Amino acid sequence: MAPTTTAAADCEGARELLDLLQRVQSEALSALGPADFDPKLYVDLPLATSARAASDALAALPRPPSRAEMEAYVARHFGAAGSDLVAADPPDFAPEPPGFLPRVENREARAWALEVHALWKDLARRVAPAVAARPERHTLLPLPGGVVVPGSRFREVYYWDSYWVIRGLLVSKMYDTAKGIARNLVYLVEKYSFVLNGARSYYTNRSQPPLLSSMILEIYKATGDLDFVKRVFPSLLKEHSFWTSEVHNVAIMDKHGQVHNLCRYQAMWNKPRPESATIDEQLASKLNSEATKEKLYHQVASTAESGWDFSSRWMRDPSDMTTLATTYIIPVDLNTFMFKARNAIGMTRAQMERDIAVFAKLLGENATSDKFLEASKARHIAIDSFCGTPRWAWLDY
């Protein structure tokens, strides 16, 4: 599925910057050596001069540049990674929220929990206005609301991390911040037709495990805000369409001749991931042809879409990452994310089709609710048919 016209234009504008930053990344590796080298740092750098000036200056460097020459070049033409995010205190943060962990009475445990709660202030950010004003200078994408970043080298919003962020914010009674996180993801759906892996221009080729509907469900359960559900509901339908499109859907016939539809992870990419280009290129150097390398890059990016980057789960040979075969696997977790399961005590968990059915019912859209209940039932049958085992376990197919 292609991005919208506006998003496609933005992607075109970002390509020149990404090409430059990947050349900077490669030259930095030559100058600094592989020890403790983080390729992601270089594609997160905001441009401080023009792309032309930075490109010309890079071309003028000796080959290979010295460490001092490379560091001076980066300092002259780029801002620090992460400097296009600014600190932003969450407006609904309280040092000890009313009703916080009411069943925890132990003093030490409460003190520790409040220390964890206080980390929201350290991780809360807002995208700097310069990002929207000069998007061609940033790989960071502008977002409408405040963000919570994972921290360390991860200086942007990530998709499925946000589910756990929202669960934590709700425990901390930070309902407005939780809604803001969800609205940022909805913004990405409306702009790109899906939630990106992360809020960077180099993540526009893949998503992550689809938990947006579950974030909305958790927020609704905590707040009862049906107006919020109504505003975001169209975006949930759009995201479901993305995950059931030809990009991810696999039609597969069972032994009785019945055709079922299940989902797989499949990135829209067959090149080195910009944030890890030097690593991917090193991995692919073991292969002989460009076509074989492109197939590997496709599998690497698709594995990153799974959130399991990287696990022997996806490899034909667990000791060799060049045997990644993620797109040839029907992942049981992705398909249970898409449908809706219940655990042993009957508590609903994070899955899309039944979430949408519940929301549609709440909003009075009974036909849509029935449609998604049927889709959920059909997926359940398909999972049982291809992922079920005699021991009542579901496994990848």
Side-chain angles (χ1 to χ4, degrees):
M1 178 176 292
T4 62
T5 303
T6 302
D10 287 351
C11 291
E12 185 66 33
R15 192 169 293 120
E16 182 182 4
L17 176 60
L18 262 180
D19 287 346
L20 168 63
L21 292 175
Q22 283 186 246
R23 285 188 283 129
V24 173
Q25 181 190 85
S26 181
E27 293 296 340
L29 177 60
S30 298
L32 306 178
D36 300 320
F37 182 78
D38 181 4
K40 185 178 186 302
L41 170 70
Y42 296 93
V43 292
D44 290 356
L45 297 173
L47 190 59
T49 61
S50 72
R52 172 69 63 84
S55 182
D56 289 348
L58 183 65
L61 288 175
R63 294 292 181 275
S66 68
R67 175 183 289 268
E69 288 166 334
M70 195 68 214
E71 289 176 347
Y73 164 79
V74 169
R76 176 183 293 270
H77 292 280
F78 300 93
S83 62
D84 41 11
L85 282 167
V86 296
D89 284 342
D92 50 357
F93 176 87
E96 184 164 2
F100 181 73
L101 300 180
R103 296 184 182 180
V104 179
E105 298 177 358
N106 180 278
R107 279 187 178 182
E108 291 182 0
R110 286 195 67 81
W112 174 81
L114 287 168
E115 287 180 17
V116 174
H117 164 75
L119 292 175
W120 296 127
K121 289 172 69 68
D122 295 334
L123 298 173
R125 303 281 191 280
R126 184 170 288 277
V127 178
V131 176
R134 300 293 300 271
E136 75 280 2
R137 292 189 169 199
H138 305 265
T139 59
L140 189 68
L141 299 176
L143 293 171
V147 305
V148 173
V149 297
S152 186
R153 66 194 289 267
F154 300 107
R155 310 171 186 90
E156 56 279 310
V157 166
Y158 282 84
Y159 183 4
W160 82 321
D161 300 57
S162 295
Y163 174 73
W164 311 107
V165 168
I166 283 175
R167 290 287 296 268
L169 288 168
L170 295 176
V171 171
S172 291
K173 313 301 180 185
M174 295 170 64
Y175 303 134
D176 289 341
T177 299
K179 290 177 187 177
I181 301 298
R183 279 193 292 266
N184 285 332
L185 303 184
V186 166
Y187 167 83
L188 294 174
V189 173
E190 291 308 309
K191 186 161 187 177
Y192 297 96
S193 298
F194 63 98
V195 184
L196 311 186
N197 182 147
R200 291 273 179 186
S201 60
Y202 53 74
Y203 287 138
T204 54
N205 54 62
R206 64 183 188 258
S207 187
Q208 267 194 333
L211 297 177
L212 178 58
S213 69
S214 301
M215 300 179 210
I216 305 305
L217 182 62
E218 294 295 338
I219 291 169
Y220 176 71
K221 284 159 57 179
T223 66
D225 189 344
L226 191 56
D227 286 340
F228 177 72
V229 173
K230 186 175 183 178
R231 288 196 297 274
V232 303
F233 185 70
S235 299
L236 301 183
L237 299 180
K238 182 178 286 190
E239 189 195 26
H240 183 268
S241 294
F242 169 74
W243 280 98
T244 54
S245 73
E246 69 280 359
V247 175
H248 294 102
N249 189 70
V250 178
I252 185 168
M253 186 180 293
D254 67 19
K255 60 185 178 182
H256 304 295
Q258 178 71 39
V259 175
H260 301 269
N261 290 288
L262 289 163
C263 292
R264 61 175 165 174
Y265 291 112
Q266 177 159 246
M268 299 167 285
W269 195 247
N270 63 354
K271 300 178 181 66
R273 295 165 299 148
E275 76 280 11
S276 300
T278 54
I279 295 171
D280 291 354
E281 288 164 356
Q282 176 62 33
L283 176 65
S285 67
K286 304 173 186 178
L287 305 176
N288 296 324
S289 71
E290 283 305 310
T292 307
K293 289 179 180 181
E294 286 185 357
K295 289 178 181 178
L296 174 61
Y297 294 143
H298 180 55
Q299 297 302 324
V300 168
S302 299
T303 309
E305 183 172 64
S306 79
W308 289 61
D309 42 336
F310 289 88
S311 164
S312 59
R313 172 188 183 185
W314 311 111
M315 302 175 198
R316 299 188 191 280
D317 177 352
S319 65
D320 184 357
M321 266 189 61
T322 65
T323 67
L324 282 167
T326 306
T327 64
Y328 296 93
I329 294 169
I330 304 294
V332 65
D333 51 355
L334 172 58
N335 283 282
T336 53
F337 289 147
M338 291 295 297
F339 128 82
K340 186 85 178 181
R342 290 178 180 269
N343 67 16
I345 58 172
M347 294 295 290
T348 56
R349 289 298 182 212
Q351 282 80 36
M352 185 187 290
E353 283 160 349
R354 288 202 181 179
D355 289 343
I356 293 176
V358 168
F359 295 142
K361 194 78 170 176
L362 287 169
L363 297 172
E365 298 188 20
N366 293 333
T368 301
S369 180
D370 292 343
K371 171 186 171 183
F372 278 89
L373 281 175
E374 287 304 311
S376 176
K377 290 173 185 176
R379 192 175 300 276
H380 194 172
I381 292 169
I383 294 170
D384 279 342
S385 297
F386 293 98
C387 301
T389 70
R391 296 186 178 183
W392 295 96
W394 285 339
L395 303 175
D396 292 341
Y397 178 77

